[in-house]
Amino acid sequence: MKTRLRRKFRDFAFQARRLIGLEKLLVLQGETRGHQIAQRDALDTLADAEFSVFSQWGEDGIISWLVDTIQPPVTNFVEFGVEDYRESNTRYLLTSRYWSGLIIDGSEDNISSIRSDDIAYKYDLQTRAAFINRDNIAELISSAGFVGGLGLLSVDIDGVDYWVLEKIREKAAIVVVEYNQIFGDAPLSVPYDPSFVRLSKHYSGMYWGASLAAFRHLLEERGYEFIGTNRAGTNAFFIDNIYSGKLHNKLTRRHEWPCRMREVRNRDGSLAFKTYSEAKNLLNGLPVVNVTTGETITL
């Protein structure tokens, strides 16, 4: 029995070393690709900078290029809605550039998983288990000592993102927000609900967040410039206006790409393999708020 247990432990340790080695290789490849992109005179759209090491889509490349281009003096980040942090917008930034970070997730299990990962002690990373709402987000950030500005802020909670972002007063050099294209070109958000859970609100999974127009309304009033989205049409990028001049000859178009994901759910939770536009009528009658007027209307 002891021999069998020792063998299992050795096998586990071997697999762990393989995973660590693979992660280092992925980071090295990302650094090589990032250097290649940084050497280009100009990009047409942000999508030209895309590559993925840990991000869901090409956000790692976009963020790497933006950091190289605008060179923010503050090298810290806040990201919330990270799940177990294996797939995120800031893990590459943490491991390749050694930025300091705060990550927040509503699941105690997810945060425990992150704290059991080597990443939790090898880097300057703080973790918080908290169900985020607009009343606690400012305190969560300040409790980590992040006052006086951020290098990057990434917002993705698939819920009342607009209303939470509205309460964050720390200015960031770069802001990344996940937006919902189903709301079209109007400045719309789901109504505020401190206990909002995406699939509990509507089985399709389409009813969450806010439109790009809503985020532009909020952030442009606060001195940010919209600079484009990822090619997947899921995340929008903004920079503090003080860095706009650094992008003047480096980025030709501020382009919004269409979202083609087929993640709509059936009532039983299975995938319907439809785009949001194909299933848009499922949300008829649900309330949304026009963030410029405060009026609640129905879809």
Side-chain angles (χ1 to χ4, degrees), residues 185-201:
D185 297 327
L188 302 177
S189 169
V190 297
Y192 181 69
D193 177 353
S195 60
F196 190 102
V197 176
R198 179 179 178 178
L199 290 175
S200 296
K201 285 293 183 180

Side-chain angles (χ1 to χ4, degrees), residues 217-265:
H217 166 73
L218 174 62
L219 292 171
E220 288 173 356
E221 281 197 347
R222 293 186 175 182
Y224 289 95
E225 178 190 356
F226 168 68
I227 56 172
T229 75
N230 61 346
R231 196 182 298 274
T234 55
N235 279 319
F237 291 78
F238 296 80
I239 60 168
D240 188 328
N241 281 341
I242 65 173
Y243 302 110
S244 294
K246 293 190 175 184
L247 292 191
H248 180 65
N249 295 317
K250 301 291 287 184
L251 186 65
T252 304
R253 293 190 293 149
R254 276 64 172 161
H255 187 63
E256 177 189 355
W257 293 87
C259 180
R260 298 187 176 91
M261 287 195 301
R262 294 183 172 274
E263 65 169 358
V264 177
R265 301 277 172 173

Side-chain angles (χ1 to χ4, degrees), residues 72-274:
V74 179
T75 56
N76 61 27
F77 63 80
V78 173
E79 180 175 11
F80 44 90
V82 297
E83 296 186 343
D84 65 1
Y85 202 50
R86 285 292 170 184
E87 188 175 80
S88 67
N89 286 338
T90 58
R91 189 179 179 112
Y92 176 71
L93 192 61
L94 179 75
T95 56
S96 68
R97 298 180 185 262
Y98 287 81
W99 279 31
S100 301
L102 166 66
I103 55 176
I104 311 168
D105 193 83
S107 166
E108 291 278 0
D109 289 342
N110 282 336
I111 295 300
S112 294
S113 176
I114 296 166
R115 289 173 178 167
S116 67
D117 189 330
D118 287 353
I119 200 169
Y121 73 86
K122 286 185 175 180
Y123 302 93
D124 186 8
L125 181 68
Q126 298 185 57
T127 58
R128 300 285 189 276
F131 192 89
I132 295 168
N133 58 55
R134 65 183 180 187
D135 297 318
N136 66 11
I137 187 59
E139 172 61 26
L140 286 167
I141 293 174
S142 64
S143 71
F146 289 177
V147 294
L150 301 170
L152 182 139
L153 172 65
S154 180
V155 179
D156 176 6
I157 54 175
D158 291 344
V160 290
D161 304 56
Y162 178 90
W163 309 109
V164 169
L165 180 59
E166 187 180 42
K167 294 298 183 179
I168 299 176
R169 294 300 174 181
E170 295 297 328
K171 196 71 178 289
I174 303 165
V175 177
V176 188
V177 292
E178 185 176 35
Y179 64 99
N180 191 342
Q181 275 197 348
I182 200 169
F183 296 144
D185 297 327
L188 302 177
S189 169
V190 297
Y192 181 69
D193 177 353
S195 60
F196 190 102
V197 176
R198 179 179 178 178
L199 290 175
S200 296
K201 285 293 183 180
H202 196 269
Y203 69 86
S204 68
M206 295 188 294
Y207 184 63
W208 58 271
S211 66
L212 177 56
F215 285 119
R216 290 192 66 167
H217 166 73
L218 174 62
L219 292 171
E220 288 173 356
E221 281 197 347
R222 293 186 175 182
Y224 289 95
E225 178 190 356
F226 168 68
I227 56 172
T229 75
N230 61 346
R231 196 182 298 274
T234 55
N235 279 319
F237 291 78
F238 296 80
I239 60 168
D240 188 328
N241 281 341
I242 65 173
Y243 302 110
S244 294
K246 293 190 175 184
L247 292 191
H248 180 65
N249 295 317
K250 301 291 287 184
L251 186 65
T252 304
R253 293 190 293 149
R254 276 64 172 161
H255 187 63
E256 177 189 355
W257 293 87
C259 180
R260 298 187 176 91
M261 287 195 301
R262 294 183 172 274
E263 65 169 358
V264 177
R265 301 277 172 173
N266 294 311
R267 286 188 180 275
D268 64 1
S270 62
L271 282 168
F273 298 105
K274 293 181 179 180

